Amino acid sequence: MGFLLTDEQRDFGRSLDAMLTAADTPAAIRARAGGDAGPARALWARLAEAGVFALAVPEEYEGVGPLPVETAVAFEELGRHAAPGPFAETVASAALLSALAEAGTDAPAKRLLPALAAGETVATLCAGPGPYAADADLADVVLVVDGDRLLLAPGHGAVRESADPARRLARPEEGGELLAAGPAVVAAAERARRWAALATAAQCLGLGRALLDRTVAYTKQRTQFGVPVGSFQAVRHRLADVLIGLEFARPLLHGAALTMTDADVAAAKVTAGEAAYAAARAALQLHGAIGYTEELDLSLWLRKARPLRDTWGTPAECRAIVLAAAPLRRHDDPHDDPLPKGVWGVTVPARSAP
């Protein structure tokens, strides 16, 4: 199946790229790491004006969505520029509130979604197995899924640093206002996780491409034995492997945005996450010791690769989801290669006769 973005979608991505290029995201990241949220909030407002947060909000709540493909396009640019903020968590919050409204509990959506779409409210969501919420100190709204209950946390505890200097973690305070309860919360939380995983996969893809571009440019400038290191075959092969990984992830991401199934989103997340991590490892090796110095902007991109890879679905978790959805056949199926006796496995195409 072929997939091409429309002219409007490509133009949207290019406009965000131009805006983020002019926004000096490295300065915003460094300010955020130092405790100054001002530049990050200013960037948030500009992205809201561009319609980024309205993409996940239905029209009846002053959004333009839900539009998963456009969301993937936008988040790829956010990853390319390493923009700081709980972007995936805000999109996931919008998906959760929308799902609750569809199930008949629309009061939280009416109350919170218009401000999310307009960028007036920054939200974060704690809906995973861990006790921490990302960027709770930057958020105006901290939503917590506790079993079959959705709570509006009254605040957050001490802020902890993470591997990503622009991403800070904090435990939501216990208690808070009960927004909804029951099986609908559980189902809505699953939808929120899919949106968060899709958005994070798109960020990984953009981040990986930025790392590759920077590394290619550097290997053309750095010389050994009087020639650019980029002319060495081993370096070319390493960079080609990174490019192939990223290019394989792109159609999976766009396909997942079309279907929004658990397995497709998980496949996109693990592929894009691993590709971004491979890009970071190659970038660090080929830049040498300068690659991990704080003074070089590259370090801000490098330190995002692993957290994004593991956020909203580790590689192991995503692979388990994909395998659980794969068709299974018994070992005695005549159309498959034989498997060890008593073993069930993923379908394996039969080999051609010699």
Side-chain angles (χ1 to χ4, degrees), residues 45-63:
R46 295 186 63 185
L47 290 167
E49 291 177 1
V52 170
F53 307 116
L55 297 172
V57 177
E59 293 181 7
E60 55 265 40
Y61 302 106
E62 301 183 22

Side-chain angles (χ1 to χ4, degrees), residues 57 61 94 97-102 105-115:
V57 177
Y61 302 106
L97 296 170
S98 300
L100 283 177
E102 292 173 11
T105 304
D106 62 354
K110 290 179 178 178
R111 174 179 169 185
L112 298 173
L113 282 181

Side-chain angles (χ1 to χ4, degrees), residues 110-138:
K110 290 179 178 178
R111 174 179 169 185
L112 298 173
L113 282 181
L116 289 182
E120 299 168 359
T121 295
V122 178
T124 191
L125 174 66
C126 186
Y132 293 100
D135 296 313
D137 59 322
L138 184 63

Side-chain angles (χ1 to χ4, degrees), residues 204-205 207-212 215 237-247 249 270-287 301-302 304-306 309 315 319:
C204 287
L205 183 60
L207 179 79
R209 191 62 206 222
L211 285 166
L212 176 61
T215 306
H237 284 179
R238 184 71 184 274
L239 294 174
D241 288 342
V242 172
L243 176 61
I244 290 171
L246 293 168
E247 289 304 307
V270 65
T271 307
E274 294 283 38
Y277 189 56
R281 290 173 62 89
L284 181 58
Q285 181 183 24
L286 296 177
H287 276 81
W301 273 255
L302 288 174
K304 295 184 82 71
R306 185 160 185 170
R309 186 196 70 173
R319 289 189 178 99

Side-chain angles (χ1 to χ4, degrees), residues 92-241:
S93 298
L96 187 150
L97 296 170
S98 300
L100 283 177
E102 292 173 11
T105 304
D106 62 354
K110 290 179 178 178
R111 174 179 169 185
L112 298 173
L113 282 181
L116 289 182
E120 299 168 359
T121 295
V122 178
T124 191
L125 174 66
C126 186
Y132 293 100
D135 296 313
D137 59 322
L138 184 63
D140 307 298
V141 169
V142 179
L143 298 176
V144 178
V145 175
D146 181 12
D148 65 350
R149 300 188 305 156
L150 176 64
L151 302 168
L152 179 61
H156 61 82
V159 176
R160 298 170 178 258
E161 295 181 352
S162 73
D164 178 0
R167 188 175 182 87
R168 298 155 71 88
L169 306 174
R171 289 178 181 266
E173 292 182 356
E174 296 184 0
E177 180 184 350
L178 180 66
L179 297 180
V185 172
V186 178
E190 287 303 313
R191 181 189 293 187
R193 292 186 187 101
R194 282 196 298 274
W195 274 80
L198 179 80
T200 307
Q203 285 180 285
C204 287
L205 183 60
L207 179 79
R209 191 62 206 222
L211 285 166
L212 176 61
D213 291 344
R214 287 168 178 260
T215 306
V216 168
Y218 182 72
T219 58
K220 291 179 179 179
Q221 299 172 0
R222 180 183 173 187
T223 60
Q224 286 186 357
F225 311 111
V227 296
V229 297
S231 64
F232 300 157
Q233 189 175 46
V235 172
R236 289 185 173 187
H237 284 179
R238 184 71 184 274
L239 294 174
D241 288 342

